[in-house]
Amino acid sequence: MIPRIRFAHLPTPIETLPRLSEVLGGPQLLVKRDDQTGLAFGGNKTRKLEFLVAEAQSAGADTLISAGALQSNHCRQTAAAAAKFGFECFLVLVGEPPDRVSANLLLDQLFGAKIIWAKKTYRDAILTDTFEKLLAQGNKPYLVPYGGSNSTGALGYAFAMEEFIGQAVKSDWVIFASSSGGTQAGLVLGAELFHFPGRLLGISVEEQQEVLQERVATLASETSERLGPRIEFAPSQVLVNADYAAPGYGILTNAERESIQLFAKYEGLLLDPVYTGRAAAGLIDLIRKGFFKKEETVLFWHTGGQPALFAEKYQSELA
Ligand SMILES: Cc1ncc(COP(=O)(O)O)c(C=O)c1O
C-alpha cells in the first residue's frame, strides 16, 4: 500500500471556456481547475504532496526540507503542508532576500518556514548541507525533491489522470505547463494505465525539448514500478513543445501578459505569470496557427500559481 494522506479538494472541477474559444476562433476549450486543490491557494503541488508528506510521516520524519525559486509555488505548498501536519520546514530559495517580502515568500513565512538563501550554483550543495546539519542536531529531516518531482510525487498525477477519466469529459488534447516534469510524468503514466485516448502536450516553461522529454520519460518509467510492472516510456512518446521557453524562467513577455489578460477578461479566470501564463500563451499561439482542428476539444489543465501575481515584480509589470 502506498502511503497517501488525502487533503486535496478532489476531484477538481472541469469548466468550459466558451467566451475565450469564441474570441480566439478556436476549438472548444475546457479547463481543469487544479488551481483549486484547496491547500494554501491550491496548485499542482498539492497532489504530489499527498504522497510526499505521507512518505515523510511513514519514515518518522519531523522536518521537511525543499528548494526552489524565490517565488516557488512548490515551496509555498510544502510550507503549508508542513504547517498542517506539524513538521518543521526549511526552504532553500535561490536569490537574495528582497527588500519587500511579497506573494509566495510572504506566505512561506506565515507558514513558519525557515528560509535559507542560496546562489543557484550552490543550491543543491546547500540543500545537502542543511539536511546533514539538521540530522546532526537531532532532527529527522525528509527531503522533498525539487518541484516535488520524483516517483512519489508523480504518483499524484498518475491518479489525477484516473480522476479526469472518471469525470467522463471528452477531450482530444490536454495541455499544461511542464517544468520539473513530475506533473507530465504522472499524467503520461496515468494515461497509459487508465487508457486516456487523447494526447498530452506539455508546454515547457524553461527547459529544452529533448531534455524535458528525456526527464519525463525516465520519471514516468520509474513511477510505473510503484504501481506494478515497469512500463518503459521512450522520450519520443512524450509530447513537449519548448517554443515558448526562450525568454527564460519567470520572464514576463507580451505573450504571457496577453494570455493572462485574455483569460481574465473573457472568463474571469486567473493565470500565473510564470507557469500557466506561459503555457496558455503557447496554447493561444497554437490555436492561432491552426494547430488544432476546429471540431477538437482542448483541455487546459490549470496547475495554479496565482499568488505570484502579487509578487512586486509582476504587479508592476501587469498593471
Ligand atoms: C503553477 C505551476 N504550474 C506548473 C508547474 C510545473 O509542474 P512540474 O514541475 O511538475 O513540471 C509548476 C512547478 O513549479 C507550478 O508551480
Side-chain angles (χ1 to χ4, degrees), residues 7-90:
F7 54 85
H9 297 182
L10 304 179
T12 54
I14 296 173
E15 298 166 3
T16 55
L17 302 174
R19 281 171 43 79
L20 190 62
S21 268
E22 194 185 332
V23 77
L24 293 170
Q28 194 199 356
L29 293 175
L30 307 174
V31 61
K32 183 155 168 72
R33 299 292 306 273
D34 271 21
D35 57 319
Q36 301 286 310
T37 49
L39 177 72
F41 292 128
N44 61 341
K45 309 306 175 193
T46 313
R47 291 187 190 266
K48 301 178 181 187
L49 285 162
E50 284 199 334
F51 290 91
L52 292 160
V53 173
E55 188 172 85
Q57 269 189 352
S58 310
D62 58 15
T63 306
L64 301 185
I65 311 180
S66 201
L70 188 155
Q71 284 296 340
S72 165
N73 300 302
H74 160 68
C75 287
R76 180 233 321 153
Q77 294 232 291
T78 301
K84 186 171 171 65
F85 294 101
F87 293 85
E88 265 194 273
C89 183
F90 289 80

Side-chain angles (χ1 to χ4, degrees), residues 134-155:
L134 285 165
L135 208 56
Q137 73 185 41
N139 285 52
K140 295 190 186 101
Y142 173 90
L143 190 65
V144 180
Y146 185 73
S149 289
N150 62 6
S151 69
T152 303
L155 286 170

Side-chain angles (χ1 to χ4, degrees), residues 278-300:
R278 181 156 290 176
L283 170 64
I284 290 167
D285 186 56
L286 291 172
I287 291 173
R288 287 179 176 150
K289 284 179 173 153
F291 179 81
F292 307 105
K293 298 194 188 79
K294 189 112 173 96
E295 63 280 10
E296 284 183 324
T297 302
V298 178
L299 179 135
F300 183 70

Side-chain angles (χ1 to χ4, degrees), residues 44-45 48 73-74 147 149 177-183 272 275 303-305:
N44 61 341
K45 309 306 175 193
K48 301 178 181 187
N73 300 302
H74 160 68
S149 289
S178 194
S179 178
S180 66
T183 301
D272 83 283
Y275 297 93
T303 46

